[in-house]
Amino acid sequence: MPGEPAIPAGAYTGRSLNVHLISPANYTFYDFKANETLTVAVTNPTGSRMTAYIALYRHNKWNVLGKLGEVGPGENRTLSYPLNFSYHGRTAETDQLGIAAGFDGTYSGNIIHVGENWAPYENRLASTLSLFGVPMAGLLLGILAMIMGRVFSVTQREHIRHRIFFISRPAELLADVITSPLFWLFELACGAVLVAIILFFTLSDISPDIGWLIFLLGGAAAIFMPVVYLVAAWAFKYYRRQTFRLMVSMFTWGIMATLIAFLINTACTLLIGAVVGKSVAFAIAAVLVAPVTEETSKGTGVLILSGRRDFGGLLDGILYGFAIGMGFAFIENWLYFAVNANPVHVGGVMEWAYDMLYRSLLDSLGHGCFTGATGAFVGYFKARRPAGGFAVKGFLLGLPVAMVLHSSFNLLDVIGSTVPTAFGIPLPLFDPLLTLVIFVFYICLGIYLQAREKHERPGTG
C-alpha cells in the first residue's frame, strides 16, 4: 500500500519474530465476500519499541496490507487487523500472511497461514444457477425456437440463384461461396474453436460443476439478443425485403470474424503489454487495436457479398453489416459472460446478471451499428454500379467510419466504467448514448429510404 514501508522478503521468511495466531486458522464462507478479524500475539524481543505490519504473499511477492500496531520493549501484545475475503473460483485456498516488526529500518518477522473454505458458497451458487438460471435459459431458447420457426415458415420458399458452375464474374463466384451452407459449416467450425477456448478458460477459472453451468447459461444469454436483433433487422425492411438466407450468411461470417479478431487482438495485447504493462495494454488494445481488427474482419464479409448483382442499395448494406455484427456479438458476449465477466470476476450473480443484460442489449447493438456503417457505404456505391463487381470504394470509405465509431465507443466505455453507482456497479454514461443515436439514425434512414423507393416504384415490392 502507498505510504507503507518496503519490508524485505527475508524479514518474513527468517521467522525470527515470535508470532502466535489467536483467531481461527480456518474460515468457512457462505457469501461471495466476507470480513474477518485476524488476531495475533506479537512478542518484542528487543529493547526498543517496534512497529508491526501485516503482509499478504500473492503473485510471488509480499504485499503490505497495513499497520498492525506498536509493541513496546519486551512486550507481548495482542494485535488485530480486519481482513477482506472474496471468492476466486477455488473451493479451498490457503493464504500466506507475513507479520513483520522493526525499528530504524531493521525488521524481523514470521509467517502464519489462514485457510479459506468456500464449499458452502459454491453449493449456494450452484443451487442459484440451477434453480433460476437453467429455467431462464430454457425460456430464452424456447422463445428463440418459436421465433426461428416462424421465420422459417415464412422464408421456406426463398430461392437464391447461385452461379457456381455458370459463372460470369469472379466476384459473383466468391459471393456465392460465402452464402453457401457448406461455407456456413466452415464458419461455424471457426466459431466452435473459439467456443472450445472459452470452455477451457471457464473450467480453469472456476470449479468444474459451477464452470459448466456458467458456460452453458452464458451461451444461452449470449445468443438470445443477437438472434432477436437479426430477425428484427430482416423484418424491418418491409419493402423489397432481402432473403433471410443472406442475413444468415452474414451472421455466420460474424461468427468466423470473432475468431480472427480474437487471435489478432490477443497477440497485439501481449506484444503491447511486454512494453507498457498489462493494464495499459488492455486500454490501448480496446481503443486502437480492437476497432481496426474487428471492423476489418467483419466488414470484409459485406465487401465480398457486394459481388452479387442483387446486393441492393444503402439500406441493404446497413442490414448486412448489422447481421455480421450480431454474429460477432454472439460469440464475443459468450466470451465475456463465461470468462472475462463471469460471477467470479464481477463480484456475484446479481452483478453477472446486470452485465449480461447490459452487454446483450447495448454492446450487441453496437457491433451491428458499427459494421452497418461499412455496409452503408458499400451498399451506396454498389447501387450506383450493380454489375461492377465488389464495391471496393465503398468499403475503403466506410471502414474508417466504422473504426472511428467503434474506437469512440470503447474509449467512452473505458471512461464510463470508472464511475461507480451507489451499488458499486459500473455505470455506463456515454457509450450507450452513442450506440442509441446511431441506431435511431439507421431506423429513421431506413424508413425514409423505403418510403422513397415505394413512391418511386409503385406497384412493386
Side-chain angles (χ1 to χ4, degrees):
M1 292 181 62
E4 303 296 353
I7 300 174
Y12 306 106
T13 57
R15 298 180 180 271
S16 57
L17 184 67
N18 187 359
V19 178
H20 175 66
L21 180 62
I22 298 176
S23 56
N26 295 282
Y27 293 98
T28 299
F29 301 107
Y30 297 84
D31 294 305
F32 183 84
K33 294 181 180 180
N35 300 317
E36 299 289 347
T37 300
L38 179 79
T39 304
V40 294
V42 179
T43 300
N44 181 355
T46 71
S48 302
R49 191 170 188 83
M50 304 178 73
T51 303
Y53 296 90
I54 182 171
L56 172 66
Y57 189 76
R58 184 154 292 175
H59 304 304
N60 297 319
K61 66 177 182 178
W62 288 99
N63 304 281
V64 177
L65 300 178
K67 180 179 176 180
L68 273 174
E70 303 286 336
V71 185
E75 180 184 9
N76 180 280
R77 187 179 177 188
T78 300
L79 303 172
S80 298
Y81 190 84
L83 292 178
N84 301 318
F85 296 92
S86 60
Y87 180 62
H88 293 110
R90 290 176 288 275
T91 304
E93 286 191 82
T94 300
D95 296 319
Q96 191 171 215
L97 297 168
I99 309 297
F103 62 95
D104 294 337
T106 302
Y107 293 92
S108 58
N110 213 323
I111 296 174
I112 58 175
H113 296 88
V114 175
E116 304 177 23
N117 176 23
W118 293 94
Y121 172 71
E122 287 187 338
N123 293 334
R124 179 182 173 187
L125 177 60
S127 298
T128 301
L129 294 175
S130 299
L131 291 175
F132 298 99
V134 172
M136 181 60 69
L139 176 63
L140 295 179
L141 295 178
I143 293 173
L144 283 187
M146 290 189 292
I147 292 175
M148 296 309 298
R150 175 60 180 166
V151 170
F152 290 141
S153 69
V154 172
T155 62
Q156 61 183 346
R157 295 183 180 88
E158 284 186 352
H159 174 69
I160 296 183
R161 184 176 58 178
H162 286 273
R163 290 165 292 274
I164 298 296
F165 302 105
F166 304 99
I167 181 151
S168 58
R169 293 178 181 273
E172 291 176 312
L173 170 61
L174 192 54
D176 282 345
V177 167
I178 70 168
T179 59
S180 165
L182 289 177
F183 195 76
W184 294 357
L185 293 177
F186 172 75
E187 292 167 321
L188 293 175
C190 291
V193 171
L194 187 50
V195 169
I197 295 174
I198 293 171
L199 177 60
F200 171 78
F201 282 112
T202 302
L203 298 182
S204 64
D205 195 41
I206 197 169
S207 59
D209 52 341
I210 298 176
W212 273 105
L213 280 171
I214 291 175
F215 172 77
L216 295 175
L217 296 180
I223 195 174
F224 182 73
M225 284 310 302
V227 172
V228 170
Y229 281 143
L230 175 72
V231 174
W234 170 75
F236 172 72
K237 192 178 181 187
Y238 59 87
Y239 186 73
R240 296 173 62 86
R241 179 180 294 155
Q242 68 272 64
T243 60
F244 189 69
R245 182 170 171 178
L246 292 180
M247 295 289 283
V248 172
S249 298
M250 293 297 92
F251 185 88
T252 55
W253 180 278
I255 290 176
M256 180 182 69
T258 316
L259 176 64
I260 298 172
F262 172 80
L263 295 175
I264 298 175
N265 287 346
T266 301
C268 291
T269 302
L270 291 175
L271 290 174
I272 298 172
V275 178
V276 299
K278 185 176 181 180
S279 59
V280 177
F282 277 116
I284 293 175
V287 177
L288 299 179
V289 178
V292 175
T293 59
E294 294 177 11
E295 294 308 323
T296 302
S297 61
K298 289 188 292 178
T300 303
V302 186
L303 173 64
I304 296 176
L305 189 66
S306 70
R308 298 182 62 91
R309 297 191 183 191
D310 59 351
F311 181 89
L314 189 152
L315 181 57
D316 279 9
I318 293 175
L319 295 177
Y320 292 140
F322 187 87
I324 292 176
M326 292 307 99
F328 192 98
F330 161 43
I331 301 298
E332 185 186 69
N333 283 351
W334 200 344
L335 174 65
Y336 274 87
F337 298 161
V339 181
N340 296 357
N342 64 32
V344 175
H345 290 170
V346 299
V349 175
M350 291 303 297
E351 292 81 358
W352 187 47
Y354 166 87
D355 191 74
M356 287 194 292
L357 182 63
Y358 169 75
R359 286 196 63 89
S360 295
L361 291 175
L362 293 174
D363 281 21
S364 299
L365 205 59
H367 274 295
C369 289
F370 305 149
T371 312
T374 302
F377 281 86
V378 170
Y380 174 78
F381 281 91
K382 180 63 179 181
R384 300 178 68 181
R385 295 183 60 194
F390 298 127
V392 178
K393 184 181 294 185
F395 176 76
L396 295 177
L397 291 174
L399 184 60
V401 176
M403 291 177 180
V404 170
L405 291 174
H406 196 153
S407 180
S408 300
F409 177 91
N410 286 359
L411 176 61
L412 294 175
D413 183 56
V414 171
I415 297 173
S417 64
T418 62
V419 183
T421 68
F423 303 101
I425 299 175
L427 177 63
L429 293 175
F430 311 107
D431 45 315
L433 181 61
L434 174 64
T435 301
L436 293 174
V437 167
I438 300 172
F439 182 63
V440 171
F441 171 76
Y442 285 158
I443 292 177
C444 295
L445 180 62
I447 294 173
Y448 166 74
L449 290 174
Q450 292 184 89
R452 187 183 70 175
E453 185 176 7
K454 188 173 184 179
H455 176 73
E456 294 175 348
R457 301 180 183 181
T460 63

